Amino acid sequence: MAPYASDDSTTGGEADERRSGRRKAARYVVPVTVMGVAAATIGLVPALADSGDPDLPKITAQQLIEKMAKSDVQQLSGTVKISTDLGLPDLGGLESSLMSGAAGQGEGGSSADPTAKLTELASGTHTLRVAADGPDKQKLSLLENAAEYSLVHNGKDVWGYDSKSNEVYHGTASQSPEHEKEQPPATPKDFAEEALKAVDDTTSVTVDGTAQVAGRDAYKLVVKPKQSGSTVGAISVAVDAETGMPLKFTLTPASGGAAVVDAGFTQVSFAKPAASTFDFTPPKGAKVTEEKDAAKDFGKGSDKHFGKGFEKGGPREHAPKAGEDFGKGLDGMKTIGEGWSSIATFDTGGEGVPSGEAGGEFGGFIDSLGDKVTGKFGSGTVFSTRLINALITDDGKVYVGAVTKDALVKAADAGK
């Protein structure tokens, strides 16, 4: 299913009912257990409409979460604007080059490969056109300067098309509901579901008035960490008052300034899209890459390699040995703390990041990307974004989380 996929099917037939049941079980990451915890920990004071905003019936945060969980939007079309500002260092275009080439731009690769395009959403501002008609028909179009990239799911077929290069990528949609948990977020609904996974007793969740988004009346759900040390300031979700579907998602950092992620509909309709919306035929002269061919190119040897934007693909067999060695440390990953201030830690089994003279010609460059820190643990380097920070000690231990630099140093010291 496409990353902006709508909800489960409501069509008749025994087979559809079974599929609908599986999808409904896997679809929402706001399970009954989350709502139960929320009821015991969040403020249940009814919200009052702000002056000038829609005058909607009073609702509690718990009721609004339940409304989101019960939302059953099957059909929609609209335009989404998404802006992401992680505050990554300026690498003179290297960042965008790496992202655009992240998914097989080498021998046998295709610019229409969905991973290559969907990773672009990790930075900058983008406009998307989305449409859905049940669980088996979705379309996402990434609008670019004088070009467009389209991702179409229609039944068992999945098509990626890059108009700029006139290349097509063709694959088969996974039948496993597990892939829905692995697809990258692209719409306010996707981001909201991910955020609500974190709702526990370390979280404050309230309703903060009402708003209008894309011409729709909405309630504003605000999620904030109760703990100190988190880089997350607040998450605001505008929830459609009628359907319960998230229309806008905004994550602001504790440090202030512009939002780290701001994704919202600028136009939306819940009418059934035209059937032709999901039709796709490769244009004349287009280069078509089949998933099974791409699998061979990447040494996968299986026609199950396609997952580009639909399910997580495994590491490619030609990945550097160093990367494989680094990954071994993940087997021993541990979590320090809880909730929004939790920190993941593992031992790479090797040395830390080479810097300064020890790093040779790259030492100064690496030093410019990170901050050297010291403590009881010894010394290391902290690499920071506006949301996620990571400390790599000189003896090869890694501490990472949506927490401040001081929190990472404190965690490393406590490990000694």
Side-chain angles (χ1 to χ4, degrees):
M1 194 189 310
Y4 53 90
S6 185
D7 305 328
D8 55 283
S9 174
T10 57
T11 57
E14 184 176 348
D16 284 346
E17 290 179 1
R18 288 198 298 268
R19 183 170 67 244
S20 176
R22 291 196 302 270
R23 292 181 183 276
K24 205 171 187 70
R27 182 188 62 199
Y28 278 108
V29 291
V30 192
V32 174
T33 53
V34 170
M35 291 191 290
V37 172
T41 61
I42 64 181
L44 300 180
V45 180
L48 298 177
D50 293 335
S51 176
D53 289 325
D55 185 12
L56 298 173
K58 297 177 182 179
I59 192 171
T60 66
Q62 175 61 23
Q63 290 170 337
L64 188 53
I65 290 177
E66 291 174 350
K67 189 178 185 70
M68 293 171 65
K70 294 176 181 177
S71 178
D72 195 30
V73 173
Q74 292 291 310
Q75 300 160 337
L76 67 85
S77 59
T79 304
V80 175
K81 182 179 179 181
I82 175 172
S83 296
T84 308
D85 180 9
L86 292 172
L88 297 174
D90 182 5
L91 303 181
L94 177 59
E95 174 195 341
S96 59
S97 297
L98 289 174
M99 286 186 172
S100 64
Q105 293 297 321
E107 182 178 357
S110 170
S111 67
D113 183 328
T115 301
K117 287 297 179 182
L118 295 182
T119 52
E120 293 181 10
L121 300 180
S123 64
T125 297
H126 305 275
T127 299
L128 309 174
R129 280 204 299 258
V130 300
D133 185 6
D136 296 324
K137 291 183 178 182
Q138 298 91 32
K139 181 176 181 179
L140 178 151
S141 295
L142 174 59
L143 308 183
E144 303 171 312
N145 292 331
E148 182 174 318
Y149 176 79
S150 294
L151 191 59
V152 181
H153 171 209
N154 192 341
K156 64 180 180 63
D157 292 311
V158 178
W159 299 93
Y161 176 60
D162 183 0
S163 68
K164 185 175 182 179
S165 64
N166 198 29
E167 291 192 24
V168 174
Y169 196 101
H170 177 230
T172 303
S174 171
Q175 297 302 307
S176 169
E178 290 301 310
H179 79 282
E180 296 184 17
K181 301 177 183 179
E182 300 168 343
Q183 59 201 20
T187 66
K189 173 176 173 287
D190 299 328
F191 285 108
E193 289 177 347
E194 288 298 314
L196 286 174
K197 286 180 182 179
V199 173
D200 59 15
D201 58 3
T202 69
T203 309
S204 166
V205 185
T206 58
V207 178
D208 184 25
T210 64
Q212 270 221 338
V213 178
R216 306 277 304 183
D217 291 349
Y219 293 101
K220 294 188 293 185
L221 185 72
V222 177
V223 180
K224 292 182 178 180
K226 289 182 178 179
Q227 303 161 304
S228 61
S230 174
T231 55
V232 177
I235 292 172
S236 176
V237 183
V239 183
D240 187 64
E242 180 180 350
T243 67
M245 192 184 86
L247 299 175
K248 186 175 176 63
F249 173 95
T250 305
L251 187 159
T252 53
S255 59
V260 173
V261 178
D262 187 32
F265 282 95
T266 57
Q267 181 275 326
V268 67
S269 169
F270 296 111
K272 180 183 177 69
S276 59
T277 302
F278 311 102
D279 292 339
F280 181 82
T281 301
K284 184 177 180 180
K287 175 186 174 182
V288 180
T289 300
E290 295 287 342
E291 63 174 312
K292 60 182 179 181
D293 296 330
K296 293 176 183 177
D297 291 332
F298 294 133
K300 300 295 290 188
S302 165
D303 62 359
K304 300 299 183 183
H305 175 68
F306 186 79
K308 315 288 188 170
F310 295 91
E311 53 186 340
K312 187 184 296 179
R316 293 170 184 161
E317 293 181 6
H318 65 247
K321 290 288 185 180
E324 294 172 2
D325 293 339
F326 182 84
K328 290 180 181 178
L330 298 178
D331 294 336
M333 182 179 289
K334 299 178 181 179
T335 301
I336 301 172
E338 61 178 354
W340 300 85
S341 298
S342 63
I343 298 171
T345 180
F346 58 93
D347 193 336
T348 65
E351 298 180 356
V353 179
S355 60
E357 294 183 1
E361 59 181 313
F362 294 106
F365 175 69
I366 292 175
D367 285 344
S368 71
L369 299 180
D371 296 324
K372 296 295 291 185
V373 293
T374 59
K376 296 178 182 178
F377 66 89
S379 60
T381 305
V382 174
F383 297 92
S384 301
T385 71
R386 299 178 68 217
L387 189 64
I388 303 296
N389 293 323
L391 164 62
I392 303 179
T393 66
D394 289 348
D395 59 357
K397 293 183 177 61
V398 177
Y399 298 84
V400 60
V403 297
T404 63
K405 179 172 66 175
D406 290 343
L408 293 177
V409 171
K410 184 177 180 180
D413 281 343
K416 285 297 181 182

